[in-house]
Amino acid sequence: MLKTASPGRRLALMGLALLTLAGSVAGCGEKRTNPGPADVADTGALPKAGVVKAESPTLKAVQRRGYLNCGVHQGLVGFAYTDNRGDWRGFDVEFCRVMAASIFGDPDKVRFVPLTADNRFDALAAGRIDVLWRNTSWTMDRDVGGRFTFAGINYYDGQGFMVRRALDLNSASELNGARVCVAAGSTSALNAQDYFRSRGIEYTPVVAPTEEAARQAYGREDCDAFTADISALAAARTTMADPQQHAILADIVSKEPLGPVVRRGDEQWTALVRWTLNAVILAEEMGVTQANAKQLAKDSADPRIRRLLGVEGDFGERLGLSKDWALDAVVGVGNYGEIFERNLGAQSALDLARGLNAQWNARPGGLIYGLPIR
């Protein structure tokens, strides 16, 4: 048997019904300007974000100056070095040029500031450089210290050891009692301590002020092994009198995600660095090259390519750049794969395999993964 509601209960229900009806009538007579989650779900689309004009003090300073101040290694074959004509070359150097092309439409509007491992962060904090592209490892201590922000990863590396073949060593675990050259102020020194300590292996660190000095000390046989990132060891081996007499041991004792660093507090500038790196990664993934980029900007029907190259959308404006920012970067310097091959890969003296630095969808796949521009 159904229960009959009390008079008070009936009045409450009638009031609720009247309020609901009034809300419905009001909704028919006025436009809702702030749709809630239900409205978004009904249309199946996200609300369109407005264009936010970039107000980056760093970008303003760079544009006012007329060139980018880019911190790089003072001399590492493959990454940053000067050729016989005094021109800067290398993997990190070209990412500085990518940024200059994105900002100015000219990859040459950049001033290179050579820095050691010890003074690189001081130079960035003091404003001597606008961005640090110097094979710098992204670590928690550097990231949460309050002064700096990593804007991405352009190279996945790992630390290893180089020894003379005459020592007939097969593993770093055989370096008991060895003298090991390492650069001061680097993660390599800390990683070496961890490696040998965790295995109870005695060693003598020979700490040099710079990586170049550590290489030279190894070359003079002041130590038995030289430890650094694998890419740096490959570069160092090319400078030896007889490269074939030196071996890089198979042991990889750390993870070294290398990437650009900026000062904390300028989020627009951080975004510009991050998305400029991302643009050349995406360009390789989509088959956009230095040679075909302009033609694809005219002819491509692929909406992803059209957004990347500025044909559709307002993504450049959101960074404080022109709509052609990514097109200028690729035309001026190339995509990620082109930059890799001529500086580190088959077209270079290092002849490094892509390995972890292959695109995610390559065969075999790597860790390079472009974020979507949309």
Side-chain angles (χ1 to χ4, degrees), residues 259-303:
V261 192
V262 295
R263 288 180 294 278
R264 182 159 295 178
D266 190 341
E267 296 305 317
Q268 293 280 12
W269 181 249
T270 302
L272 186 153
V273 178
R274 177 182 299 120
W275 286 98
T276 301
L277 164 60
N278 191 68
V280 295
I281 290 174
L282 275 179
E284 181 189 14
E285 179 182 330
M286 297 178 187
V288 180
T289 68
Q290 193 171 21
N292 69 16
K294 286 186 177 180
Q295 194 62 45
L296 286 174
K298 295 178 182 178
D299 300 341
S300 179
D302 188 329

Side-chain angles (χ1 to χ4, degrees), residues 4-275:
T4 303
S6 67
R9 174 67 173 166
R10 288 199 299 270
L11 287 174
L13 290 171
M14 289 174 64
L16 179 60
L18 287 172
L19 287 173
T20 303
L21 178 60
S24 299
V25 172
C28 293
E30 66 180 60
K31 183 178 180 180
R32 296 183 64 184
T33 56
N34 296 307
D39 300 275
V40 176
D42 287 344
T43 63
L46 294 172
K48 179 175 173 58
V51 175
V52 179
K53 185 177 180 181
E55 294 292 343
S56 163
T58 307
L59 177 58
K60 287 183 176 179
V62 170
Q63 291 172 328
R64 185 166 53 248
R65 186 192 308 130
Y67 57 88
L68 176 74
N69 282 328
C70 198
V72 295
H73 200 289
Q74 72 273 35
L76 179 61
V77 175
F79 283 86
Y81 62 100
T82 53
D83 62 18
N84 294 333
R85 298 185 300 177
D87 295 329
W88 280 94
R89 305 288 182 193
F91 188 69
D92 286 338
V93 164
E94 295 212 359
F95 281 100
C96 296
R97 297 191 190 279
V98 164
M99 286 191 61
S102 297
I103 296 168
F104 298 107
D106 184 347
D108 294 325
K109 289 195 172 182
V110 54
R111 172 176 171 262
F112 298 101
V113 182
L115 299 167
T116 67
D118 266 347
N119 67 16
R120 55 184 160 176
F121 291 113
D122 290 338
L124 180 59
R128 287 179 52 209
I129 57 174
D130 305 305
V131 60
L132 178 66
W133 283 95
R134 189 200 180 280
N135 63 324
T136 300
S137 298
W138 190 343
T139 68
M140 182 174 180
D141 182 62
R142 291 169 176 174
D143 195 43
V144 303
R147 296 195 301 167
F148 309 113
T149 296
F150 281 78
I153 298 171
N154 73 322
Y155 191 85
Y156 290 91
D157 211 341
Q159 185 175 332
F161 296 87
M162 182 164 67
V163 298
R164 294 170 188 82
R165 291 189 185 277
L167 294 178
D168 195 26
L169 299 179
N170 296 310
S171 170
S173 62
E174 300 176 64
L175 288 169
N176 192 39
R179 300 164 300 159
V180 180
C181 284
V182 65
S186 65
T187 57
S188 297
L190 301 176
N191 292 333
Q193 290 176 15
D194 287 349
Y195 177 79
F196 290 118
R197 178 184 172 188
S198 66
R199 289 160 177 76
I201 299 173
E202 295 292 331
Y203 83 109
T204 301
V206 179
V207 181
T210 66
E211 195 171 87
E212 181 180 6
R215 294 199 307 268
Q216 291 173 348
Y218 172 79
R220 294 192 303 267
E221 300 191 24
D222 292 345
C223 53
D224 307 298
F226 172 37
T227 187
D229 292 348
I230 297 293
S231 59
L233 296 179
R237 185 164 58 178
T238 67
T239 68
M240 299 296 166
D242 188 353
Q244 297 303 317
Q245 295 305 310
H246 303 270
I248 297 174
L249 299 177
D251 309 73
I252 298 177
V253 302
S254 73
K255 292 183 291 185
E256 304 297 331
L258 311 180
V261 192
V262 295
R263 288 180 294 278
R264 182 159 295 178
D266 190 341
E267 296 305 317
Q268 293 280 12
W269 181 249
T270 302
L272 186 153
V273 178
R274 177 182 299 120
W275 286 98

